[in-house]
Amino acid sequence: MSRISDEDIMRVRDATDIVSVVAEYVVLKQRGSEFWGCCPFHNEKTPSFHVVSQTQRWHCFGCGEGGDVFKFLAKIEGLTFPEAVSYLAEKQGITLSKEENGLPSSYRARLIACCQETDAFFNLQLMRVNSADTAVAREYARTRGFDSTVCKKWHLGYAPGRGKLVAHLTEKGFSAQEMIDSNVALKDSTGGLRDRFFQRLMFPIHDLQGRTIAFGGRTIPNLLNPEHREIAKYLNTSNSPLFHKRDNLFGIDKAKASITTRGVAIVVEGYTDVIALHEAGFTQAVATLGTALTPEHVRLLRRFSKHIIYLFDGDSAGQKAADKAADLIDHFITPETGRDQTELSVAIIPGNSDPADYVASEGSQGLQRVLDNAQPLLLFALRRRLETYNLKRPEQRQAALEVAVALLYPFRNSLLAADYLNIIASDLATDYATVAATLERYEPPRTRVVHETITESDEAIASRDADEDRTQILDYSDMLARWERELLSLYVYNPSIRAELKARLHDNSWSQPLHALVAPALFDCDIQMSPAHLVDVISSRVEGSEQIWLVDTSQYLDRDASSLMDLASRMLRGKEIEELERDIARHKAKLKFSDTLDKKHYDELFAYLITLQNRLNNLRNSS
């Protein structure tokens, strides 16, 4: 995706009311210029989530999350930052300079509109049009368990072919190029257009926001004509400016909320499996689109949950796909990854069933038992490799050991390795030391790819994560840090007192390095700048500064300048008291080691301590 310009980001931010956006997900109650509600990101009964319209920021005092409208939308919808900006731009009718793959956003919107209209056309054919073909299509859908309610919920459709879609889209004003780029039509041998899909049951594929961007079509047996050249059981939209198979999952728009709340994603291999699982209560199910699960898919699912179960069919094709899943094993499964650790598991449907058939015959409880028995992907891959050897023969056991340590080699420095060394030793009926020594001396062949990274941009992500790690996350349970934060926030949120407060804070000392960077940056800005724009400017200049403004601003409401300066005075006094208490504690600690001081230094230290204590007493007694 092309970089969105700062000017476009600012235009979208200025045109968007954060209260309106948040109110679509959270019931808010207004108090002055603030709005309060229960946090959508953690369970709570007492509202601690608040939105400040003045600065267009939100913050939860319960879980500590906070940010601007883009961060809120990205977090609640599982979007990237550019996706959040693009979504809000489209909502506000703002045309961004460039979008994905350099495609102008106005043209991208036309392609989405073309797909949406195609979706509506297909659905109308299945649900309303009376013909011999549509009757067969409806009957086939019914035999698959898709009654009218299911067809309506999933917006299933029927593609009649014979140029009917092209004629419909042409009548709606779409150009030939738009149909081709949307991949709903193709050029025929004469240079004209023909429908890409015909006589198929259609499954619309949506993006995270629920917009139709592609289609999958399944042949209907009783309509299969030997003269048709397209005889593949499933036909998917090819990669297009809107859609890439490696990046998208069927049902992700419907499943994302459930994946988040249940803490696990279930990945299957077919549209019908997804629908059947959702109807059985497994609403966190999604499907790949004619490909195996890719690193890009894993990265997408990690936005919503760190636990992914790959559910395979029990037939030979499913077993082969399960074996290939080992390519997804990477450093994200190790505990050293920290909060980004991903739990990848594998579950196999018993017998030759697929998930749809199995849940139909065994019910939800039966499928849940299969999911409960899911194995970690690394363990599954290890056991699959070992079972190909005759472990009763010494030479076969040695070969199995080499294969096992090859799988483990990329994680040899992880705590995970120690656990799996024990598993390998047990499975091969040998001792831990032998396996550990084999791993230590193992050298992977240079031409052999043992480990595939989770995504092509992992190096960039690692670099970014390293930068984020360097950002200081302040502990505002520290009283001195809290006083400083309150003073800086008071300055930001109240332009009427900035001139006077700036004079009192200008030579102030700051205990936190971040505060020491932010304060002069604030004082360099125009004192009449709005709080929202001031926060944006400081955020661009000082990394990590946004955490300072996430405070309860209700104490600033309905106060005149004089009252606000009284509040500032109380804050400054509280800050000074905290500084004196810490200084006194440090000097008292020095006196405990008085045997290292001569009498002169001891007397000087004692006198200074008395001076500090007197100043502290005077401050505490002042009104």
Side-chain angles (χ1 to χ4, degrees):
M1 177 174 285
S2 299
R3 181 183 182 275
I4 300 175
S5 69
D6 293 339
E7 292 78 10
D8 278 348
I9 293 172
M10 185 65 72
R11 283 197 301 135
V12 175
R13 180 184 282 119
D14 289 345
T16 303
D17 176 23
I18 190 173
V19 176
S20 299
V21 173
V22 174
E24 294 180 11
Y25 304 89
V26 180
V27 178
L28 297 174
K29 184 176 182 180
Q30 187 170 3
R31 294 188 214 159
S33 63
E34 293 185 335
F35 296 81
W36 291 79
C38 290
C39 181
F41 305 122
H42 78 287
N43 294 323
E44 63 177 10
K45 296 181 179 179
T46 302
S48 61
F49 179 93
H50 82 137
V51 183
V52 184
S53 59
Q54 189 181 20
T55 58
Q56 294 290 294
R57 268 358 189 232
W58 61 276
H59 177 62
C60 176
F61 291 96
C63 64
E65 292 284 353
D68 61 8
V69 68
F70 301 127
K71 184 175 180 181
F72 176 83
L73 191 64
K75 185 171 179 64
I76 203 163
E77 289 285 357
L79 306 178
T80 62
F81 177 80
E83 288 170 344
V85 176
S86 298
Y87 175 77
L88 289 174
E90 182 177 325
K91 202 170 184 181
Q92 297 299 330
I94 295 173
T95 300
L96 300 178
S97 302
K98 292 287 182 181
E99 281 226 1
E100 189 173 351
N101 298 326
L103 194 69
S105 59
S106 58
Y107 188 65
R108 179 180 173 84
R110 287 288 296 170
L111 298 188
I112 291 175
C114 185
C115 286
Q116 298 272 63
E117 187 59 39
T118 300
D119 184 359
F121 174 80
F122 287 155
N123 182 251
L124 182 68
Q125 297 295 309
L126 181 66
M127 305 296 287
R128 299 285 182 86
V129 173
N130 291 317
S131 70
D133 283 1
T134 56
V136 173
R138 283 191 285 270
E139 176 60 21
Y140 174 72
R142 188 191 64 77
T143 64
R144 298 293 298 179
F146 305 151
D147 60 18
S148 60
T149 301
V150 172
C151 290
K152 182 178 179 180
K153 182 192 298 185
W154 291 87
H155 225 247
L156 303 187
Y158 173 68
R162 306 183 184 92
K164 290 185 178 181
L165 175 64
V166 169
H168 175 78
L169 293 177
T170 301
E171 183 180 342
K172 290 293 182 179
F174 292 99
S175 69
Q177 193 60 51
E178 287 169 343
M179 296 182 217
I180 292 171
D181 287 344
S182 301
N183 208 229
V184 298
L186 302 170
K187 284 186 177 181
D188 60 22
S189 58
T190 65
L193 285 184
R194 66 177 178 87
D195 294 355
R196 174 172 174 76
F197 301 96
F198 57 86
Q199 291 188 319
R200 289 179 182 268
L201 184 67
M202 300 303 297
F203 299 82
I205 299 166
H206 301 127
D207 64 10
L208 285 171
Q209 289 76 55
R211 299 173 300 188
T212 307
I213 58 172
F215 297 90
R218 193 201 189 283
T219 55
I220 299 172
N222 291 341
L223 292 179
L224 191 60
N225 188 326
E227 295 180 1
H228 289 164
R229 286 179 294 174
E230 294 178 306
I231 58 174
K233 181 185 291 187
Y234 284 99
L235 179 66
N236 294 313
T237 296
S238 300
N239 288 339
S240 74
L242 296 179
F243 171 73
H244 295 275
K245 294 178 183 179
R246 293 181 62 86
D247 299 330
N248 290 274
L249 292 163
F250 178 72
I252 187 64
D253 57 312
K254 286 182 169 61
K256 61 185 179 182
S258 184
I259 293 172
T260 300
T261 56
R262 297 189 180 192
V264 61
I266 302 171
V267 181
V268 295
E269 296 187 288
Y271 310 114
T272 57
D273 292 329
V274 169
I275 297 174
L277 292 189
H278 275 249
E279 294 304 305
F282 297 92
T283 53
Q284 70 273 46
V286 295
T288 53
L289 299 163
T291 70
L293 190 67
T294 67
E296 290 82 5
H297 291 145
V298 174
R299 185 181 177 191
L300 171 61
L301 291 170
R302 273 210 310 259
R303 299 187 195 179
F304 307 102
S305 174
K306 298 300 190 293
H307 185 194
I308 301 167
I309 298 177
Y310 205 171
L311 182 61
F312 292 102
D313 296 0
D315 58 17
S316 59
Q319 297 286 340
K320 290 179 181 178
D323 290 337
K324 186 173 175 55
D327 293 342
L328 296 167
I329 298 172
D330 76 343
H331 70 280
F332 276 95
I333 69 172
T334 65
E336 289 79 9
T337 310
R339 63 183 181 182
D340 290 326
Q341 184 179 9
T342 304
E343 184 180 351
L344 288 169
S345 302
V346 171
I348 305 290
I349 298 290
N352 292 319
S353 295
D354 60 29
D357 291 337
Y358 192 80
V359 77
S361 63
E362 303 298 325
S364 300
Q365 292 182 343
L367 184 63
Q368 187 60 57
R369 286 192 292 270
V370 173
L371 296 172
D372 290 341
N373 289 324
Q375 292 185 346
L377 178 57
L378 182 55
L379 178 61
F380 173 83
L382 175 65
R383 293 268 165 81
R384 289 284 289 176
R385 280 158 174 72
L386 293 182
E387 70 183 21
T388 62
Y389 293 88
N390 182 356
L391 300 181
K392 294 180 179 180
R393 298 177 59 184
E395 63 273 16
Q396 290 274 298
R397 286 169 56 198
Q398 181 59 39
L401 176 57
E402 293 291 331
V403 168
V405 298
L407 186 66
L408 200 60
Y409 180 79
F411 321 107
R412 60 195 179 280
N413 297 320
S414 169
L415 293 172
L416 198 65
D419 292 333
Y420 275 88
L421 287 174
N422 279 316
I423 292 172
I424 295 170
S426 175
D427 286 359
L428 298 182
T430 187
D431 59 274
Y432 178 92
T434 298
V435 181
T438 304
L439 177 61
E440 186 174 351
R441 67 171 180 266
Y442 177 79
E443 294 185 7
R446 293 183 180 180
T447 58
R448 181 182 177 189
V449 178
V450 177
H451 169 231
E452 177 179 336
T453 55
I454 201 74
T455 169
E456 293 176 357
S457 57
D458 266 349
E459 291 184 3
I461 293 172
S463 175
R464 182 202 65 201
D465 289 345
D467 290 339
E468 289 177 353
D469 289 341
R470 287 194 290 269
T471 301
Q472 183 183 11
I473 306 301
L474 299 185
D475 178 12
Y476 282 114
S477 62
D478 179 88
M479 184 57 71
L480 185 54
R482 195 185 307 172
W483 282 122
E484 293 176 359
R485 178 196 210 182
E486 292 287 353
L487 284 164
L488 292 171
S489 297
L490 185 67
Y491 182 92
V492 164
Y493 287 109
N494 298 280
S496 64
I497 64 168
R498 284 181 189 159
E500 186 174 354
L501 188 56
K502 176 180 178 179
R504 298 188 64 177
L505 293 178
H506 198 274
D507 295 325
N508 196 69
S509 61
W510 304 95
S511 67
Q512 303 296 325
L514 181 61
H515 296 169
L517 292 173
V518 166
L522 283 175
F523 303 151
D524 283 344
C525 294
D526 184 353
I527 62 173
Q528 296 304 320
M529 191 178 290
S530 72
H533 282 179
L534 183 57
V535 166
D536 286 338
V537 169
I538 300 304
S539 296
S540 67
R541 294 182 182 179
V542 184
E543 186 176 6
S545 61
E546 284 205 350
Q547 60 188 304
I548 299 175
W549 324 123
L550 304 178
V551 298
D552 182 356
T553 60
S554 59
Q555 60 182 318
Y556 309 151
L557 301 177
D558 303 322
R559 288 176 178 257
D560 56 24
S562 176
S563 176
L564 288 169
M565 283 309 301
D566 287 342
L567 178 61
S569 295
R570 291 197 295 274
M571 290 178 179
L572 284 164
R573 185 166 62 251
K575 177 177 180 293
E576 188 175 357
I577 287 173
E578 185 66 25
E579 289 172 335
L580 282 170
E581 287 178 342
R582 296 186 182 196
D583 205 10
I584 288 170
R586 283 195 298 270
H587 284 82
K588 283 184 176 179
K590 290 182 181 179
L591 285 179
K592 288 183 179 180
F593 298 95
S594 58
D595 56 334
T596 63
L597 301 173
D598 57 34
K599 185 175 184 307
K600 178 182 178 182
H601 287 136
Y602 179 89
D603 290 343
E604 289 175 350
L605 183 60
F606 190 80
Y608 182 62
L609 188 58
I610 293 175
T611 301
L612 293 177
Q613 189 65 57
N614 288 336
R615 283 174 55 192
L616 178 59
N617 293 338
N618 291 335
L619 276 174
R620 284 174 172 170
N621 294 329
S622 62
S623 57

